[in-house]
């Protein structure tokens, strides 16, 4: 599994958008958007087929199908040290939408939110979309450690939210229970909300332990939301399915009401929810193979880039992206443009647009493809200079 023979390149060229195969010229290798080059698990495909065989595509419960909510809660409780009831889960149409809805719920125009720097651009975008003001808390680009003293110094009377990304995109860091507990103590002392984006929490290497944020302390379970999605671990980005989890049922009920999930204004495709449930309940063998393949690709990419003279790679603990430092003096944009023109490889520049000010001097490389494609892409990058 997960070789070139398992990739349908014709299908990718028709369907893989978001900076990938369908929007690039022939001959260019996309190591860009964090989306697998492999089709989703056969069990998920079969689950979708079985669901529609009776021909009924009716309304589901506005907050999510019972089987979807139960499968997500069970998954977090078993795999991520969670303590969620099915009622603590809201089906949303993507992790990105969950982030936006949480910002909308927590922030009024002019309120401030603290996000990490660097981090995925959706954190900044969701805050600014609702009229909030972003304050950046530095993260060491080599170790991904959060400057907690700086975090505290950013808090003022207008601060309402701390947003964390765990595991961290693009640095691949898993934040420990102790670090999360310290964040929960800071948030509690200042009566702040916390949002934890945990969409990458299934892609974890070397059997490391993962603690969902709300599990680390009583303080963490209060005034916090967790965001989850299926696009990374199960290749289901086009189905637009994710979840928001909250241990405080009164808060979640209010969130559901104010986010318009109490009617047909909002809500998620039942077909997508079925696919999500099947992914968590029946696609584990496929996922285990996929994770093993990704760890091999991580090690391969790290070794290739370590031997190069132009990039200094990190070794991510999680995710399927690398965030190497540029060693030849080019800016992130210059480097990405060069390898696209001369190496025919697309990468994501570590620019402020995508990851914040702290990302400059890096690029992001996605390695959720075959070993053959990855090796060819990395060698093209190196040989382009």
């Amino acid at each position: 599994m997960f070789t070139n023979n398992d990739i349908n390149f014709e299908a990718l060229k028709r369907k893989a958008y978001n900076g990938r195969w369908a929007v690039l010229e022939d001959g260019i290798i996309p190591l860009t958007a964090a989306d697998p080059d492999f089709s989703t698990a056969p069990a998920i495909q079969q689950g979708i087929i079985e669901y529609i065989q009776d021909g009924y595509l009716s309304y589901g419960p506005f907050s999510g199908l019972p089987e979807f909510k139960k499968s997500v809660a069970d998954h977090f409780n078993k795999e991520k040290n969670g303590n969620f009831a099915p009622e603590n889960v809201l089906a949303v149409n993507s992790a990105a939408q969950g982030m936006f809805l949480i910002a909308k719920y927590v922030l009024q125009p002019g309120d401030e939110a603290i996000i990490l720097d660097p981090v995925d651009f959706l954190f900044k975008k969701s805050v600014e979309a609702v009229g909030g003001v972003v304050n950046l808390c530095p993260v060491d680009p080599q170790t991904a450690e959060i400057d907690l003293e700086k975090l505290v110094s950013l808090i003022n009377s207008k601060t309402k939210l701390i947003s964390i990304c765990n595991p961290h995109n693009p640095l691949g860091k898993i934040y420990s229970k102790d670090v999360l507990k310290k964040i929960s103590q800071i948030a509690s002392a200042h009566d702040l909300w916390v949002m934890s984006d945990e969409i990458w929490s299934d892609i974890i290497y070397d059997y490391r332990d993962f603690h969902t944020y709300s599990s680390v302390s009583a303080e963490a379970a209060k005034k916090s939301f967790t965001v989850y999605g299926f696009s990374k671990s199960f290749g289901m980005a086009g189905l637009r399915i994710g979840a928001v989890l909250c241990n405080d049922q009164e808060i979640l009920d209010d969130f559901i009401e104010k986010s318009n999930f109490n009617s047909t204004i909002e809500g998620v495709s039942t077909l997508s929810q079925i696919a999500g449930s099947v992914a968590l309940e029946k696609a584990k063998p496929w996922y285990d193979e996929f994770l093993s393949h990704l760890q091999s690709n991580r090690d391969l990419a790290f070794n290739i880039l370590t031997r190069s003279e132009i990039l200094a790679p990190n070794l991510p603990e999680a995710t399927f992206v690398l965030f190497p430092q540029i060693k030849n003096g080019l800016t992130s944009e210059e480097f990405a443009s060069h390898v696209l023109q001369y190496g025919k490889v697309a990468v994501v520049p570590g620019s402020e647009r995508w990851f914040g000010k702290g990302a400059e001097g890096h690029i992001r490389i996605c390695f959720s493809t075959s070993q053959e494609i990855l090796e060819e892409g990395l060698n093209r990058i190196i040989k382009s200079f």
Side-chain angles (χ1 to χ4, degrees), residues 2-4 7 20-21 29-38 168-173 200 203-206 232 289-305 313-324 345-348 363-378 381:
F2 307 110
T3 70
N4 260 10
I7 297 177
R20 299 182 68 246
W21 299 93
I29 294 176
L31 303 179
T32 46
D35 200 24
D37 279 342
F38 305 102
H168 187 282
N169 173 21
L171 298 175
K173 175 72 173 179
W200 286 104
I203 309 296
I204 289 176
Y205 304 121
D206 302 310
K232 311 309 177 192
E289 292 276 354
F290 182 45
L291 187 62
S292 177
H293 170 74
L294 290 174
Q295 183 156 337
S296 295
N297 271 9
R298 178 201 66 168
D299 296 343
L300 173 69
F302 179 80
N303 290 331
I304 290 174
L305 294 181
N314 64 316
L315 186 68
E317 299 172 342
T319 79
F320 46 68
V321 296
L322 289 166
F323 202 58
V345 180
V347 297
V348 182
I363 59 167
R364 195 186 74 171
I365 295 171
C366 175
F367 55 84
S368 57
T369 186
S370 68
Q371 178 179 318
E372 298 97 321
I373 290 290
L374 178 61
E375 196 164 7
E376 171 69 17
L378 296 177
I381 290 173

Side-chain angles (χ1 to χ4, degrees), residues 237-294:
L239 285 177
R240 307 294 294 172
I241 178 64
V244 170
L245 301 91
C246 179
N247 278 112
D248 190 312
Q249 194 60 46
E250 287 188 13
I251 289 176
L252 185 62
D253 289 343
D254 189 51
F255 177 82
I256 291 170
E257 177 76 19
K258 291 178 179 175
S259 299
N260 290 313
F261 279 81
N262 57 357
S263 71
T264 53
I265 295 173
E266 285 289 355
V268 182
S269 158
T270 53
L271 194 61
S272 298
Q273 293 179 63
I274 289 298
S277 294
V278 172
L280 296 179
E281 295 174 9
K282 297 182 179 180
K284 190 73 162 53
W286 178 93
Y287 158 80
D288 288 341
E289 292 276 354
F290 182 45
L291 187 62
S292 177
H293 170 74
L294 290 174

Side-chain angles (χ1 to χ4, degrees), residues 29 31 300-313 322 324-325 327-328 330 335 338-340 342-347 363 365 373-385:
I29 294 176
L31 303 179
L300 173 69
F302 179 80
N303 290 331
I304 290 174
L305 294 181
T306 297
R307 295 193 298 268
S308 79
E309 297 181 356
I310 60 168
L311 290 168
L322 289 166
Q325 184 177 13
K327 296 169 63 177
N328 63 3
L330 295 182
F335 192 99
H338 179 94
V339 298
L340 181 62
Y342 297 103
K344 301 299 181 184
V345 180
V347 297
I363 59 167
I365 295 171
I373 290 290
L374 178 61
E375 196 164 7
E376 171 69 17
L378 296 177
N379 286 329
R380 285 190 193 183
I381 290 173
I382 293 167
K383 293 175 181 177
S384 71
F385 290 94

